[in-house]
Amino acid sequence: MHRMKTTRAQTLNITCFCLLTALVCNVNSVHAQDILLEIEVEPNLRTLRLDGKMQDISLVAQSTRQDLAFKWTLQGPGNLLGDDESPGIFYLPPKTLDAGMPSQASVVLNVHDDRGSQASKKIIFQLLNAPEPLSPSEAEEPPPTPDRLSPSHSTPLVFHISCRYHPSHEKTFRPINEGSVLHSGDHYRIVFTPQQDAYVYIYQIDDSGLVFQLFPMDRFRGRPVNNFNPVQAGRDYYAPGKEMSFVLDELTGTERIYFLASRKQNRFLEERYEQLQKEPPSQQEALFHELLRQVMDQHGIEYTKPHDFDAIQDSLESLCQGCVYTLSFEHR
């Protein structure tokens, strides 16, 4: 077999050429790499109702690339809070839309690397003014009787709801069912997703008869949670908060959770609850049950006992307006 002879210098030249070729190919490969870009939005909303209580919207860039430069811009009403050249920013919606203002706001993220590759992503928010408050005459109008309920108001509400807990020495949440046994120090929370816009009220009574409101709630242990009514269809709500839990104290006995929902704000319930909080703990439970009786009477529902929802971790698919649903568990 014929063998071609090469000198050491030729071998060195060939090796250098191959290394240079590989380096050029690698640079071209990196240069041609696409930038995969997403934006995580929290809370994950696209339609914002401007009721003066809207919290800041967090937007965070998500990419597998670590060598990117960022630039956030806003097109439309509102403001951006934070460093507009960082991976994350906050969008603060306007409190209201004045005449002539656009009803849409776009937060745009542009990124690039030092090799000239670019990418952009846009999040569009639809802005809606909150409904006008009721006039005094409308506010004082008595609640509708069953005969006066419109078809839309008589349609059952649907909620996906989960009541879960974890022992103090664990981190995995378990479902709470009717009659479940929990212990002092256990953590628990309620998560629900309405399928229609609604007003939600959640209360808890401990074994001493003390009444607590779990939803709505603006602050928990000094931290803002911004759980306000009305709740919006398709959005997940956490009581007390997404990364928070209620904790059972040392007072043992039966704990009862009450869940109510309505398509309209129940000012009667809200005002009476505020008054109830001023009463001695020994009287609160009896007054609360009388309040529930009055709420159900407003909707023509006979008060016998609150409706139980044994499978609260699944869903309430025929939640009647003004009905009261309860879950009881033992605290030991």
Side-chain angles (χ1 to χ4, degrees):
M1 178 182 293
H2 177 73
R3 298 179 182 272
M4 183 177 68
K5 295 182 178 181
T6 59
T7 65
R8 182 174 181 180
Q10 289 174 320
T11 302
L12 181 60
N13 288 338
I14 293 172
T15 303
C16 290
F17 174 77
C18 292
L19 290 174
L20 181 60
T21 302
L23 180 60
V24 171
C25 291
N26 184 57
V27 170
N28 288 337
S29 175
V30 172
H31 184 74
Q33 181 181 355
D34 291 334
I35 298 177
L36 301 179
L37 183 64
E38 296 293 338
I39 298 178
E40 182 181 86
V41 182
E42 179 63 35
N44 191 18
L45 301 174
R46 296 298 183 273
T47 300
L48 308 181
R49 302 191 179 190
L50 308 180
D51 56 2
K53 300 177 181 178
M54 175 59 65
Q55 58 186 327
D56 301 345
I57 307 295
S58 169
L59 300 100
V60 179
Q62 303 289 325
S63 177
T64 57
R65 299 280 297 276
Q66 304 295 322
D67 58 340
L68 300 177
F70 302 89
K71 182 63 177 179
W72 297 89
T73 56
L74 173 64
Q75 302 167 356
N79 293 286
L80 293 181
L81 305 178
D83 183 358
D84 61 6
E85 295 185 352
S86 68
I89 201 78
F90 289 93
Y91 170 60
L92 177 62
K95 292 184 177 181
T96 187
L97 286 179
D98 297 329
M101 292 177 63
S103 60
Q104 189 177 90
S106 300
V107 179
V108 182
L109 172 61
N110 291 291
V111 301
H112 66 86
D113 59 23
D114 56 6
R115 291 175 295 276
S117 297
Q118 301 179 5
S120 64
K121 197 76 175 180
K122 178 188 293 187
I123 299 295
I124 300 176
F125 297 105
Q126 299 294 332
L127 307 177
L128 300 176
N129 275 332
E132 293 294 328
L134 295 176
S135 65
S137 59
E138 292 174 317
E140 295 171 2
E141 182 180 352
T145 63
D147 292 337
R148 295 171 57 197
L149 285 175
S150 66
S152 62
H153 287 174
S154 60
T155 303
L157 298 169
V158 178
F159 283 77
H160 294 282
I161 182 168
S162 171
C163 189
R164 296 180 178 272
Y165 81 102
H166 70 76
S168 57
H169 59 281
E170 297 181 9
K171 295 300 181 183
T172 302
F173 278 92
R174 310 171 183 176
I176 300 178
N177 297 313
E178 183 72 20
S180 290
V181 177
L182 280 69
H183 298 86
S184 295
D186 287 354
H187 296 242
Y188 65 102
R189 68 183 181 190
I190 301 171
V191 183
F192 65 90
T193 307
Q195 300 305 298
Q196 302 94 353
D197 292 356
Y199 286 80
V200 169
Y201 305 92
I202 306 177
Y203 303 93
Q204 181 172 347
I205 302 181
D206 65 15
D207 200 62
S208 71
L210 199 61
V211 181
F212 307 90
Q213 181 170 286
L214 308 185
F215 194 99
M217 178 184 292
D218 59 348
R219 302 181 71 85
F220 178 69
R221 293 183 176 176
R223 296 173 57 187
V225 293
N226 298 324
N227 281 337
F228 297 117
N229 275 318
V231 297
Q232 299 178 8
R235 176 179 171 183
D236 295 332
Y237 289 85
Y238 299 81
K242 189 171 184 179
E243 304 297 333
M244 303 178 185
S245 299
F246 300 110
V247 180
L248 289 176
D249 57 18
E250 298 302 318
L251 179 63
T252 58
T254 301
E255 306 276 354
R256 292 171 294 278
I257 296 175
Y258 296 78
F259 186 99
L260 301 84
S262 175
R263 295 183 186 277
K264 289 187 176 182
Q265 182 178 9
N266 195 321
R267 291 189 176 90
F268 175 82
L269 174 62
E270 295 172 0
E271 293 172 0
R272 294 301 188 276
Y273 173 76
E274 292 298 326
Q275 296 175 9
L276 181 148
Q277 289 296 290
K278 302 174 184 177
E279 301 295 335
S282 59
Q283 300 179 21
Q284 287 190 14
E285 182 173 7
L287 293 172
F288 181 73
H289 281 285
E290 178 59 29
L291 174 57
L292 295 184
R293 183 192 305 275
Q294 295 174 7
V295 169
M296 297 179 77
D297 285 346
Q298 288 179 357
H299 295 87
I301 302 168
E302 182 180 355
Y303 186 93
T304 52
K305 59 169 289 188
H307 301 265
D308 294 329
F309 47 105
D310 294 335
I312 186 173
Q313 68 272 19
D314 296 327
S315 64
L316 298 176
E317 296 188 351
S318 58
L319 182 62
C320 66
Q321 176 166 270
C323 291
V324 181
Y325 291 77
T326 69
L327 176 69
S328 299
F329 62 89
E330 294 302 314
H331 172 188
R332 297 178 181 172

